[in-house]
């Protein structure tokens, strides 16, 4: 696989371009490399951060940040989906639509989790 070197990546970035791979196999390899080359480090960082949470309110900052990132991701996927549709890429549009829908579902679940970090007053049971 031909990976661009840092200089080429930098120069492309200066003119608003980026490198594109020409085969699905290359794309899969890049995705795998990006995921697994830092997997242990990322997992350790998140585990260490989670161990510092002492009560339900401690979950809030991370969940709110995550919600913001997911919201941005949803908007990005929606924009890509619209552009793919405009260019006539039907299958790509379908995959981007599915990704946007999944992201929206995760977004809603994270929002619900964040709301549940706040203690609710006990509701008395009626007899």
């Amino acid at each position: 696989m031909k990976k661009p070197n840092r200089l080429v990546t930098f120069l492309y970035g200066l003119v608003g371009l980026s490198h594109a791979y020409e085969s699905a196999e290359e794309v899969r390899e890049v995705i795998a490399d990006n995921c697994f080359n830092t997997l242990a480090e990322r997992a350790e960082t998140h585990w260490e951060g989670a161990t510092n949470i002492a009560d339900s309110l401690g979950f809030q900052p991370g969940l709110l940040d995550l919600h913001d990132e997911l919201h941005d991701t949803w908007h990005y996927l929606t924009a890509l989906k619209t552009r793919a549709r405009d260019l006539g890429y039907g299958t790509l549009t379908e995959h981007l639509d599915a990704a946007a829908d999944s992201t929206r579902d995760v977004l809603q679940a994270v929002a619900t989790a964040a709301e549940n970090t706040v203690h609710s007053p006990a509701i008395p049971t009626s007899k």
Side-chain angles (χ1 to χ4, degrees):
M1 169 175 50
K2 286 175 44 179
K3 290 184 181 181
N5 64 40
R6 288 183 181 197
L7 178 60
V8 170
T9 301
F10 174 73
L11 293 174
Y12 275 3
L14 288 177
V15 293
L17 299 174
S18 59
H19 179 78
Y21 298 94
E22 296 185 17
S23 76
E25 182 179 321
E26 288 178 315
V27 171
R28 283 190 295 271
E29 188 174 328
V30 170
I31 289 170
D33 286 350
N34 289 344
C35 288
F36 298 115
N37 286 345
T38 60
L39 179 65
E41 181 181 322
R42 288 186 210 187
E44 184 177 334
T45 297
H46 294 303
W47 278 105
E48 286 177 6
T51 61
N52 293 323
I53 297 172
D55 61 18
S56 66
L57 295 177
F59 289 89
Q60 237 178 59
L63 289 170
L64 294 176
D65 287 346
L66 180 58
H67 187 272
D68 187 51
E69 291 171 15
L70 288 166
H71 197 235
D72 186 57
T73 300
W74 179 83
H75 281 289
Y76 183 52
L77 288 167
T78 301
L80 292 175
K81 174 186 72 173
T82 300
R83 186 62 180 151
R85 185 185 61 235
D86 292 347
L87 293 172
Y89 297 117
T91 302
L92 179 57
T93 301
E94 291 173 9
H95 288 289
L96 290 167
D97 189 43
D101 286 350
S102 295
T103 302
R104 184 196 61 231
D105 293 344
V106 174
L107 184 65
Q108 291 170 343
V110 169
T112 301
E115 291 169 11
N116 278 281
T117 62
V118 178
H119 297 286
S120 299
I123 300 172
T125 57
S126 59
K127 292 184 181 184

